[in-house]
């Protein structure tokens, strides 16, 4: 298909009058010229039948992506599988970096998957990203939260709060009072995980996760 040279033709896509031209009435001069140009360059209605070359390229890309995912062991919600989860009793979630529409859904997805695969594993959430971890501020994921976790797929932001706190930025953590001078924020965070009995930490977000 050939795309219009000056972008999408706006309201004409999906809303154009599909009656025969004779039933729509005549179009004179410039209007008729514009219509002919649009008809010659319009994007076809879907589904579009791909030619052999385009189909081969898409199929090759699909195979390559599938191969990469298999090699990396990618999973949308990377919950330990049955054999890997042996002995795990408690996991934690936190969201860090900037707010994004996917954070809430990721939290909900992880809660759903743990509930589906390993309902006996306890889940807690640190409030406000790494700030909550450094301060030991967490909340448990209760049975009622597990039952209603699917609602998080319909919301943006983060239901457990966010912050720009980075464990690697020692000066900022000291300035904010999250650690004392001379302390390593990463060690403080690790010690807190041990005190809370957390064996798996899921960090959700972008910057510094």
């Amino acid at each position: 298909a050939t795309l219009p040279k000056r972008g999408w033709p706006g309201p004409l896509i999906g809303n154009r009058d599909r009656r025969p031209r004779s039933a729509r009435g005549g179009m004179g001069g410039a209007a008729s010229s514009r219509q002919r140009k649009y008809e010659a360059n319009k994007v076809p209605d879907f589904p579009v039948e791909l030619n052999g070359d385009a189909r081969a390229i898409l199929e090759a890309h699909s195979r390559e992506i599938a191969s990469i995912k298999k090699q990396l062991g990618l999973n949308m919600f990377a919950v330990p599988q049955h054999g890997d989860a042996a002995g795990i009793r408690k996991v934690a979630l936190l969201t860090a970096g900037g707010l994004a529409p996917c954070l809430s859904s990721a939290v909900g997805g992880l809660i759903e998957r743990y509930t589906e695969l390993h309902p006996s594993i306890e889940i807690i959430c640190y409030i406000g990203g790494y700030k909550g971890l450094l301060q030991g501020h967490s909340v448990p994921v209760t049975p009622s939260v597990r039952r209603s976790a699917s609602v998080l797929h319909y919301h943006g932001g983060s239901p457990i709060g966010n912050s720009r706190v980075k464990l690697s930025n020692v000066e900022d953590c000291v300035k904010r009072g999250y650690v004392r001078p001379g302390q390593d924020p990463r060690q403080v965070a690790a010690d807190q995980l041990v005190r809370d009995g957390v064996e798996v930490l899921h960090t959700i977000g972008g910057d510094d996760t």
Side-chain angles (χ1 to χ4, degrees):
T2 303
L3 292 176
K5 295 181 181 179
R6 296 188 179 181
W8 297 92
L12 292 173
I13 291 292
N15 295 307
R16 61 180 180 270
D17 193 338
R18 297 181 181 276
R19 294 175 297 166
R21 186 182 296 275
S22 59
R24 284 181 269 158
M27 299 179 66
S32 180
S33 176
R34 286 197 298 271
Q35 180 66 16
R36 286 195 299 271
K37 185 176 294 185
Y38 164 69
E39 292 292 341
N41 294 292
K42 69 179 179 181
V43 178
D45 294 333
F46 289 94
V48 177
E49 185 174 347
L50 299 173
N51 62 38
D53 291 340
R55 185 180 298 278
I57 291 172
L58 287 177
E59 289 177 351
H61 284 180
S62 297
R63 288 193 298 271
E64 185 175 355
I65 292 171
S67 175
I68 292 172
K69 286 183 176 180
K70 184 176 181 180
Q71 292 176 42
L72 296 178
L74 293 180
N75 192 332
M76 183 177 293
F77 302 116
V79 173
Q81 298 305 302
H82 292 285
D84 300 329
I88 294 177
R89 293 167 295 180
K90 191 173 185 178
V91 302
L93 319 178
L94 65 78
T95 56
L99 289 174
C102 61
L103 298 178
S104 178
S105 187
V107 172
L110 279 166
I111 293 173
E112 287 179 314
R113 289 292 280 167
Y114 268 108
T115 301
E116 175 189 354
L117 297 177
H118 313 294
S120 63
I121 293 180
E122 183 182 354
I123 308 172
I124 66 170
C125 296
Y126 288 105
I127 302 301
Y130 286 109
K131 171 186 174 182
L133 175 55
L134 290 172
Q135 296 181 326
H137 185 193
S138 64
V139 294
V141 175
T142 63
S144 62
V145 171
R146 288 176 184 257
R147 288 193 297 269
S148 58
S150 61
V151 74
L152 296 177
H153 295 302
Y154 300 96
H155 295 273
S158 172
I160 54 177
N162 237 37
S163 70
R164 292 279 189 175
V165 175
K166 299 181 180 181
L167 300 183
S168 58
N169 192 336
V170 179
E171 182 179 352
D172 182 64
C173 289
V174 172
K175 181 180 178 180
R176 292 171 182 264
Y178 301 146
V179 300
R180 295 190 301 272
Q183 285 187 312
D184 181 352
R186 285 169 289 198
Q187 187 60 54
V188 172
D191 293 341
Q192 184 64 51
L193 291 171
V194 172
R195 282 194 295 272
D196 290 339
V198 172
E199 296 160 285
V200 176
L201 174 65
H202 292 276
T203 58
I204 306 165
D207 195 18
D208 205 44
T209 55

